[in-house]
Amino acid sequence: DAVMIDDTSSAFDHPENRARALATAPRDRISLRDHVVSVEIGAFQAERGVTQRLAFDIVVDLRPQPPAGDDVDRILSYDRLTEAVAAELAAERLNLLETLAEGVAARILAEPRAERVFVRIQKLDRGPGALGVEIMREGSALPRPASPSPQPRLLLVGADVALGPWLEPLLADAAPLVVCPSPLAPAPRSADPAAQLRIDLLALDQAAWAVEAMHPGLAVRDSRTEIDWALRQGAPTVWAPARMVADAVEPPAGTDPAVLVDWLATRLSAREILVAGAAAPDTALPLRVIAIDPAPGA
């Protein structure tokens, strides 16, 4: 049922249909439809100093790989499409939709799973209809790298430390914060090392959920994809480590909170590790100890 891509009947098809028509073999693909953003863009004087709505439709053909199961860290997240748009719009003011489409396509193709991308951008406010461009690019030339995540600060918190008002200045800082709680109590002991690993990690996950329950402004995240998304949004995170550690190709050398916080900080290219009421990690990263009074009754 393939249709020649230059036929009049397909000239105005949605990028999903054009991707299907050009496919030489079955491909998985993800798409973004009708993503509308208001921005200043355009070469005409009348377009300067005002915003207009742009509608983005993006389709990405994915490289073949074994089934990801239900592992969010093994797929190309839909958020990367909207983030490519936001990053390109934030880079500079542009005159041409063609330039914007090229930049968005390049950012998406920098993602390892992206093989080919279709980008359609339409101006919705320049006339009685929608004026736009559509491009298709494949992943050979990458003029722009993938948008990096901001460098966070990691906060290792002892079990007897209350996250009180002293936390607010840390949350207000431009660098996003990842809170790494210590276990609330000693974990049960097992003679089986594999079982002990799981027990220790579950104790850390429990501590993370307890922190979120006491501080609604914080949210538990347990995958690299979720953490990266939160960093780009500037949203604070409480790390639940069990999932990432259990699935890691190069796991940390133990489940001690100090070891884990250094392991995560290295992977996130953290700018700083903060420690409150806990043993400081042996780390090559900048380290700062915060003097905090223990929780009442501790």
Side-chain angles (χ1 to χ4, degrees):
D1 61 348
V3 180
M4 290 298 292
I5 202 66
D6 58 349
D7 280 353
T8 302
S9 62
S10 64
F12 294 97
D13 264 353
H14 188 274
E16 284 182 349
N17 297 330
R18 297 168 74 85
R20 198 172 295 113
L22 280 174
T24 56
R27 281 287 185 269
D28 292 344
R29 58 180 56 98
I30 65 171
S31 64
L32 173 70
R33 282 179 175 261
D34 302 323
H35 178 60
V36 178
V37 179
S38 293
V39 65
E40 182 186 337
I41 189 171
F44 291 94
Q45 189 60 39
E47 295 178 292
R48 295 188 175 273
V50 297
T51 60
Q52 55 184 303
R53 293 175 301 150
L54 301 183
F56 292 80
D57 292 290
I58 300 173
V59 177
V60 185
D61 284 345
L62 304 176
R63 300 184 189 280
Q65 75 167 25
D70 202 35
D71 187 352
V72 69
D73 286 338
R74 294 179 57 200
I75 56 100
L76 174 57
S77 172
Y78 306 107
D79 295 321
R80 300 303 276 175
L81 308 188
T82 57
E83 289 164 5
V85 171
E88 199 61 24
L89 290 174
E92 59 180 327
R93 186 199 184 281
L94 297 173
N95 290 326
L96 302 177
L97 290 184
E98 289 84 351
T99 307
L100 176 58
E102 290 281 0
V104 170
R107 289 184 186 275
I108 293 171
L109 287 172
E111 299 291 336
R113 283 221 62 196
E115 181 174 63
R116 180 170 60 177
V117 61
F118 297 77
V119 179
R120 172 186 287 177
I121 310 175
Q122 296 175 303
K123 291 184 178 182
L124 303 182
D125 302 324
R126 281 291 290 163
L131 313 176
V133 301
E134 181 177 329
I135 67 170
M136 181 275 286
R137 297 291 182 267
E138 299 196 51
S140 54
L142 302 177
R144 286 171 172 78
S147 303
S149 298
Q151 291 180 285
R153 291 156 305 132
L154 269 65
L155 172 62
L156 174 60
V157 182
D160 60 350
V161 172
L163 297 181
W166 62 270
L167 185 63
E168 295 306 317
L170 298 179
L171 295 175
D173 192 281
L177 187 68
V178 179
V179 179
C180 302
S182 298
L184 301 176
R189 308 312 299 170
S190 170
D192 182 343
Q196 189 62 56
L197 173 66
R198 288 290 186 173
I199 291 169
D200 291 343
L201 291 174
L202 287 173
L204 290 160
D205 279 10
Q206 287 178 329
W209 285 106
V211 168
E212 184 195 76
M214 292 184 290
H215 301 275
L218 302 176
V220 170
R221 310 187 205 279
D222 67 353
S223 70
R224 178 63 186 269
T225 298
E226 276 193 297
I227 293 174
D228 283 345
W229 175 87
L231 297 183
R232 291 190 293 273
Q233 304 302 312
T237 288
V238 184
W239 184 40
R243 180 177 178 179
M244 287 179 62
V245 172
D247 293 342
V249 175
E250 297 181 0
T255 57
D256 183 271
V259 171
L260 289 174
V261 74
D262 184 55
W263 180 81
L264 181 63
T266 300
R267 276 145 188 79
L268 298 181
S269 299
R271 66 174 58 186
E272 183 181 29
I273 295 176
L274 309 174
V275 178
D282 180 11
T283 182
L285 296 170
L287 179 69
R288 179 157 55 102
V289 176
I290 301 175
I292 299 296
D293 293 330

